Amino acid sequence: MTAPSGHLPALAAAVLQPGFVGTTAPPWVCRWLGEGLGSVVLFARNVVDSAQVAALTATLRAERPDVIVAIDEEAGDVTRIESVHGSSRPGNFALGAVDDPDLTEAVARDLGVELAAAGVTLNYAPDADVNSNPANPVIGVRSFGADPALVARHTAAWVRGLQAGGVAACAKHFPGHGDTRVDSHHDLPRITADRDRLDACELAPFRAAVAAGVQAVMTGHLLVPALDPQLPATLSPRILGGLLRDELGFSGVVVTDAVEMRAVADRYGFAGATVRALAAGADAICIGGERADEQAARELRDAIVAAVVSGELPEERLAEAAKRVGQLAAWTVAARTARSAAARDAADIGLIAARRAIRVTAGEAGRAALPLTRAAHVVEFEPPRNIAIGAETPWGIGAPLGELLPGTSTVRYAEPDVPGDPGAGAEGRPLVLVVRDLHRHDWMRAAVQRALAVRPDAVVVELGVPELVTGAVHLATHGATRASGQAAVEVLTGAR
């Protein structure tokens, strides 16, 4: 093995998108920006508020003016910029329920203007997955819906809106994470659809995103035998080169989903998956959701350099990847300059959208249950959180309901701590049962059935996918964001 050329470490650093810990820029990140690092990614741990993020990104930009600052902000249940309070926007599934592409574009543009003002230049959104499997544990309300045509038109609208706001969009998780029961954070999902089904369903939103000019596409750690029977999409030349580049005509940056996720890291190693992804056609490697220190970044940089020196990774491929990252950086600089004076849309556009997404199903016996006019008892059933959503973001309707109906009490139950009568404590008061993806959780369904047997007049509020409608009054928000909760409370109380 020969010694690495002096430019290789800088090329290797250029294709990394590492995360870090803290609300200020660590010295190692600043040093790396001067040594070739082209991007960083922010998570909830890096965010206090928009002013703090703006100060953080200004520090990064002082080291490298064209640094790409990415964030995973879906403006729904998955939020980083508003993780402390919950998103002021309703999320993809709610926008799909409204099915007004102009509204979707306006919400995305408003988000883009907000992110751009904070110095963010790349957003890992929209989620372009078609949630065709209701049992999906990781997509759900992150998707615009189960209909490919609907998801395609809203994916395109989101891309147009976000990029009009000055931030590069990144459609994910290619070639489609919707039809699976497995979370790729934990294991490798297998998509069993044939090629005709993939063309008609999973690939339709990505074709729309490319046609809309999306600047980046994020790969999914997915095994799709109809496309490649051996390698997951992130590591597959057939999928990244043959399908995404050649067939779909995408010429922007291909970003991997977090490379430390077990779907690929358990099988190919942290560094091994990185090298294979670059060789397959990926241009940028996302890291740092779980490994967020200089050691992790150095491990990957050194592995990339070693792979080039050994011939495992052609230097031309690495140079091509770094060039694409540089082209995206130039796009973000131009977009930031051109749209520096862009104005926010109506301050309450997220709440406006959340209100339009509310759906109420009431039988004859339930119509008298609303509006609630006195203090209620709220029972919130908490399912396990997936890593994408995170544990820090608040959800529920108890707090905003209590603001309008003082004296309202709230309890929250998770498996296996649900009592025999979950509605106990509601005697003489309205009972509100709050669920998330009721159809996916046997324990939750059983608890709700017990509560309804005692209190058939209880109101059921679904903050997830309303696959199962139950109760005399059922209110579906199509998401668990702060805006969705507020909109639900307005309907419950007749405040609007």
Side-chain angles (χ1 to χ4, degrees):
M1 180 183 296
T2 60
S5 301
H7 67 288
L8 286 181
L11 276 181
V15 302
L16 299 180
Q17 292 189 349
F20 55 87
V21 176
T23 56
T24 58
W28 74 267
V29 171
C30 294
R31 185 177 69 254
W32 276 57
L33 288 172
E35 296 173 353
L37 181 67
S39 314
V40 298
V41 56
L42 305 182
F43 294 89
R45 62 180 177 235
N46 306 119
V47 176
V48 176
D49 54 34
S50 293
Q52 168 267 324
V53 174
L56 168 59
T57 58
T59 300
L60 298 171
R61 209 150 272 123
E63 300 293 336
R64 179 167 185 155
D66 67 345
V67 60
I68 295 170
V69 181
I71 199 167
D72 190 9
E73 177 56 59
E74 296 178 12
D77 284 22
V78 175
T79 180
R80 310 304 182 216
I81 204 74
E82 295 189 280
S83 62
V84 174
H85 303 293
S87 178
S88 58
R89 302 172 180 90
N92 283 4
F93 197 61
L95 293 171
V98 176
D99 196 13
D100 179 351
D102 289 341
L103 177 66
T104 295
E105 186 169 343
V107 169
R109 178 187 179 278
D110 186 67
L111 173 65
V113 172
E114 180 181 0
L115 293 179
V120 174
T121 55
L122 170 64
N123 188 12
Y124 296 155
D127 188 312
D129 300 311
V130 179
N131 195 56
S132 56
N133 187 340
N136 195 313
V138 69
I139 302 301
V141 296
R142 300 169 65 193
S143 166
F144 289 109
D147 175 59
L150 179 146
V151 176
R153 61 178 171 267
H154 286 277
T155 294
W158 180 278
V159 168
R160 291 193 301 268
L162 187 72
Q163 294 186 169
V167 174
C170 179
K172 63 185 181 186
H173 307 81
F174 187 80
H177 206 314
D179 189 13
T180 176
R181 291 174 176 262
V182 177
D183 182 346
S184 52
H185 289 91
H186 305 299
D187 204 349
L188 180 64
R190 182 184 179 95
I191 309 298
T192 59
D194 61 24
R195 181 57 198 265
D196 288 344
R197 160 74 181 189
L198 292 169
D199 280 331
C201 185
E202 279 78 4
L203 295 177
F206 291 98
R207 293 184 190 277
V210 172
V214 71
Q215 290 295 311
V217 169
M218 176 174 282
T219 67
H221 302 325
L222 311 161
L223 186 65
V224 190
L227 302 176
D228 188 327
Q230 296 181 320
L231 293 172
T234 299
L235 314 183
S236 170
R238 293 186 189 181
I239 294 175
L240 301 189
L243 177 57
L244 182 56
R245 294 291 189 200
D246 297 340
E247 289 191 40
L248 271 63
F250 179 63
S251 59
V253 168
V254 175
V255 185
T256 70
D257 206 346
V259 78
E260 67 265 35
M261 289 166 61
R262 295 182 62 180
V264 291
D266 279 4
R267 289 164 174 78
Y268 304 96
F270 181 50
T274 295
V275 170
R276 283 173 174 261
L278 289 168
D283 304 306
I285 306 296
C286 173
I287 56 173
E290 298 171 60
R291 297 196 60 178
D293 53 31
E294 184 177 11
Q295 180 180 351
R298 183 184 296 113
E299 181 180 341
L300 296 192
R301 182 190 63 186
D302 292 350
I304 294 168
V305 170
V308 172
V309 172
S310 70
E312 181 182 0
L313 174 64
E315 184 173 346
E316 295 77 12
R317 170 78 273 275
L318 178 60
E320 176 187 51
K323 181 179 179 180
R324 285 207 184 98
V325 171
Q327 290 169 338
L328 176 58
W331 184 95
T332 66
V333 170
R336 192 169 69 250
T337 301
R339 298 173 176 87
S340 59
R344 296 283 304 278
D345 284 293
D348 59 351
I349 189 170
L351 184 55
I352 291 170
R355 287 168 176 159
R356 292 181 62 184
I358 297 289
R359 301 290 183 269
V360 178
T361 304
E364 194 67 36
R367 290 176 183 167
L370 298 181
L372 304 180
T373 58
R374 53 200 172 93
H377 184 64
V378 179
V379 181
E380 297 177 340
F381 298 96
E382 182 166 29
R385 299 269 193 118
N386 67 60
I387 293 175
I389 292 176
E392 68 280 342
T393 305
W395 66 277
I397 68 165
L401 185 59
E403 292 178 5
L404 291 180
L405 299 177
T408 292
S409 56
T410 303
V411 295
R412 181 170 288 184
Y413 297 122
E415 187 185 22
D417 301 322
V418 186
D421 179 9
E427 292 79 6
R429 292 189 289 165
L431 176 62
V432 181
L433 307 173
V434 183
V435 299
R436 294 177 75 172
D437 293 341
L438 181 63
H439 65 287
R440 290 204 303 112
H441 304 286
D442 293 342
W443 67 270
M444 192 183 297
R445 286 198 305 279
V448 168
Q449 288 168 1
R450 293 198 305 272
L452 289 175
V454 177
R455 289 288 303 271
D457 62 328
V459 177
V460 178
V461 177
E462 172 64 82
L463 301 183
V465 177
E467 187 74 14
L468 176 60
V469 176
T470 189
V473 180
H474 183 276
L475 188 154
T477 61
H478 302 90
T481 72
R482 175 164 52 95
S484 298
Q486 182 62 47
V489 166
E490 290 178 351
V491 173
L492 290 174
T493 61
R496 180 175 175 81

